[in-house]
Every structure is written in structure tokens, then in C-alpha cells.
Amino acid sequence: MSYSIPKMKPKPALRVKIISMGNAEVGKSCIIKRYCEKRFVNKYLATIGIDYGVNKVTLKARDVKVNIFDMAGHHLFYEVRNEFYKNTQGAILVYDVSDRGSFEALDYWVQEMSSEIANKSEVDSIVVCVCGNKTDLRRRVEETEGRLWAEAHGFYFFEMSALTGEGVNEMFQVLFEGIVKTCDNGGRREPITTQLGYSKEQIEAIQRLKNARNDYERLGLMPGASKDDVNKAYRRLAVLLHPDKSVAPGSEDAFKLLVLARTSLLKRC
Ligand SMILES: Nc1nc2c(ncn2[C@@H]2O[C@H](COP(=O)(O)OP(=O)(O)OP(=O)(O)O)[C@@H](O)[C@H]2O)c(=O)[nH]1
Ligand SMILES: [Mg+2]
């Protein structure tokens, strides 16, 4: 007697839509071009409204047809852009690590997306990769700040350079895998595993100690603060940043700055 082994039915091809978001000139089109065409264009050619492209990928023997809607970041194109947010499964949300303003604008982009889609469960099902681009340039945003922002929103985080190509393919791979998993999961996005063992408060304190213009600002005090205020502020920050307890990068240097700032302020009180 012979048995025929039933063949596994291949899963049907998936069609997905991804969008790009982020300020003008952060490199959205270059990241997409680097991935799809393996090349880099140095000259800035602003996207006018929307650019559309299709790409096919195979993930775990499953064909995926990816429709890419590359959006213009300039506010002039808001009216064109806003129609393209709906029915999206994935997004790349890009900032330029050499331009702090583009990092600070990330909240705006999440807000624009959420208000255009309106339906909260649809927004929550979108797999988002936050991309800190242009790592080949002098940075104004630390990697940990980007990661902290992304993970606090439940988004993946990558740094990359469309110019050198570093980090681009890895990001798209995670984005597509995340989308396929979410589709197989009935539209429920998998929670991401956070890699940080420290808080936003710690990072903010480290940044302030590093970047403040004077010692009062370093301790978060107004000029002319009393001895008591200085000691209170010192104790609060020392608990937050003590190198024996804090694993946040930069804690050690920040702690030294804190001690110096307290010493010099107490001399003035
Ligand atoms: N040094 C460096 N320059 C980059 C990188 N990625 C993009 N650029 C440059 O940044 C400029 C803007 O890139 P685009 O990809 O057109 O920016 P965009 O975000 O699509 O801009 P809009 O379409 O206006 O929203 C171009 O001059 C690129 O050559 C990078 O990784 N490193
Ligand atoms: Mg563009």
C-alpha cells in the first residue's frame, strides 16, 4: 500500500504597506534608495509629496510584496501626505543624528500619524522602526537618547548611515519580520524587548550636567540658590547617578561634574 504525503500548502503572499516619516532632509529617501537600489545620492532632491515604489522580499519561505510610500517631510506637503497614513503596517520614523531639531520633532510625527489614522488600535498595530540616520556625521544626539525615546514608545530603534549603508539592511529585516509576525498575530504588535536598564530621568540628568552653561543650571537651580538648595539638589542627583548604582552611559563623568559643581557653588553661598 502506498501513502501519499499531503503537501503543505504555501502561505499566500502578503501585501504590506510601509511609510516613511520625519523632517525634511533627514535622509528618508536615501535610506529607501540604499535598501532597494544599493546606492547613495549625495545631492538633495526633495521628495515632492509622495514617492511610491514596490519591493519583493521572501521571509521564512513567504513572499511579501512591500509597497513603499516615501513621504515628503516638508510641512508644505502636509495636505498631500495626510491621505497616505491609513492602512499602513509599517513605518520608518527617521531623524538625523547631527540635527537635534529633527530628533525633537519625532513627537510631532507620531502625533500627525495618530491624528490622521484616528483609530487607536490601527495606530497600535503599526510596526515602527525609529532610525537615527547620518552616523557618519558629527552627532548631536546620543545613541542612548534615541533608544530611550523609541523604546518608551514601543518602537524598534536603529542607527544607520545611508551614505555608508551601515545598519540599513538590518533595520528593514527587523521591520519586515515584525510586520509578518503582527499580521500572523491578527494585527497585534509584539512587545519589543527593551535593552535599557536605566531611566529617561537619568539620561536627562546626564545630558544637563554635560551641556549646561553654568553650575546652577547643572544642578537644576536658579542663580543665587541657598546652600541648602545646593545640597538638596546634589543629593537628589547623586542618588540618581552614583556610578555604583547607575548603568546609564556617561554616569561616571556626570557624577564628577556634579561633585565639582556642588563644590564651586558652595564656595559662593
Ligand atoms: N552624510 C550623510 N548624508 C546623508 C545621509 N543620508 C542622506 N544624506 C543626505 O541628506 C540629504 C537629504 O536626503 P533625502 O533622503 O533626500 O532626505 P528626505 O528625508 O527624503 O527629505 P524630504 O524628501 O525633503 O523629506 C541629501 O543631500 C543626502 O545626500 C547619510 O547617511 N549621511
Ligand atoms: Mg525624500
Side-chain angles (χ1 to χ4, degrees):
M1 211 156 62
S2 69
Y3 295 96
S4 62
I5 301 163
K7 275 201 184 128
M8 285 269 283
K9 230 170 127 191
K11 282 188 175 172
L14 265 182
R15 282 168 66 97
V16 303
K17 171 179 165 187
I18 68 165
I19 57 173
S20 69
M21 297 185 286
N23 279 9
E25 268 189 78
V26 293
K28 300 178 293 296
S29 303
C30 284
I31 291 171
I32 293 167
K33 208 165 261 146
R34 168 60 75 190
Y35 179 73
C36 297
E37 299 171 25
K38 318 253 172 297
R39 67 193 182 98
F40 176 73
V41 183
N42 212 6
K43 194 163 167 249
Y44 174 43
L45 298 162
T47 304
I48 309 296
I50 300 276
D51 271 343
Y52 171 73
V54 189
N55 193 31
K56 271 196 188 137
V57 288
T58 308
L59 282 176
K60 293 189 182 130
R62 179 108 173 247
D63 288 333
V64 183
K65 186 176 169 195
V66 187
N67 296 283
I68 304 174
F69 291 80
D70 177 21
M71 311 214 273
H74 202 284
H75 62 85
L76 272 178
F77 296 111
Y78 168 69
E79 296 292 340
V80 185
R81 223 170 36 226
N82 64 8
E83 298 188 15
F84 289 87
Y85 279 105
K86 289 208 170 77
N87 302 315
T88 293
Q89 285 77 44
I92 62 170
L93 173 54
V94 184
Y95 68 94
D96 169 351
V97 299
S98 73
D99 168 13
R100 253 205 105 74
S102 70
F103 173 64
E104 280 156 11
L106 294 181
D107 284 318
Y108 167 80
W109 288 102
V110 172
Q111 197 191 325
E112 183 175 300
M113 173 176 80
S114 306
S115 64
E116 290 311 319
I117 297 175
N119 178 338
K120 186 164 182 324
S121 66
E122 191 180 330
V123 174
D124 289 344
S125 72
I126 299 175
V127 179
V128 180
C129 282
V130 177
C131 307
N133 188 36
K134 307 198 190 181
T135 52
D136 56 287
L137 297 179
R138 181 161 170 241
R139 65 165 72 236
R140 307 259 175 221
V141 184
E142 296 300 324
E143 187 191 344
T144 44
E145 293 178 86
R147 185 175 294 285
L148 199 62
W149 188 91
E151 293 187 349
H153 288 79
F155 301 155
Y156 292 104
F157 175 73
F158 291 87
E159 282 201 335
M160 66 195 59
S161 164
L163 186 149
T164 66
E166 204 182 344
V168 173
N169 286 353
E170 292 84 338
M171 183 275 292
F172 277 105
Q173 184 72 20
V174 167
L175 178 65
F176 296 148
E177 279 174 6
I179 293 172
V180 171
K181 268 193 212 150
T182 307
C183 289
D184 288 345
N185 212 8
R188 266 190 312 278
R189 195 171 71 188
E190 284 217 325
I192 57 152
T193 5
T194 59
Q195 296 175 12
L196 298 167
Y198 46 90
S199 67
K200 196 170 178 170
E201 203 186 358
Q202 285 172 313
I203 292 297
E204 279 167 3
I206 292 169
Q207 290 303 320
R208 200 181 59 216
L209 280 157
K210 243 171 72 179
N211 301 327
R213 285 161 299 180
N214 58 53
D215 288 332
Y216 286 113
E217 203 177 296
R218 250 174 219 111
L219 266 70
L221 295 168
M222 295 302 278
S226 71
K227 201 169 173 178
D228 206 32
D229 291 337
V230 172
N231 279 326
K232 258 193 215 149
Y234 168 79
R235 274 198 297 277
R236 193 184 63 77
L237 287 164
V239 168
L240 203 61
L241 299 176
H242 198 285
D244 287 352
K245 299 210 184 73
S246 168
V247 294
S251 297
E252 210 159 316
D253 288 342
F255 190 74
K256 283 183 197 155
L257 289 169
L258 172 65
V259 173
L260 288 175
R262 178 181 74 151
T263 312
S264 91
L265 287 179
L266 286 179
K267 279 184 195 151
R268 277 183 244 172
C269 291

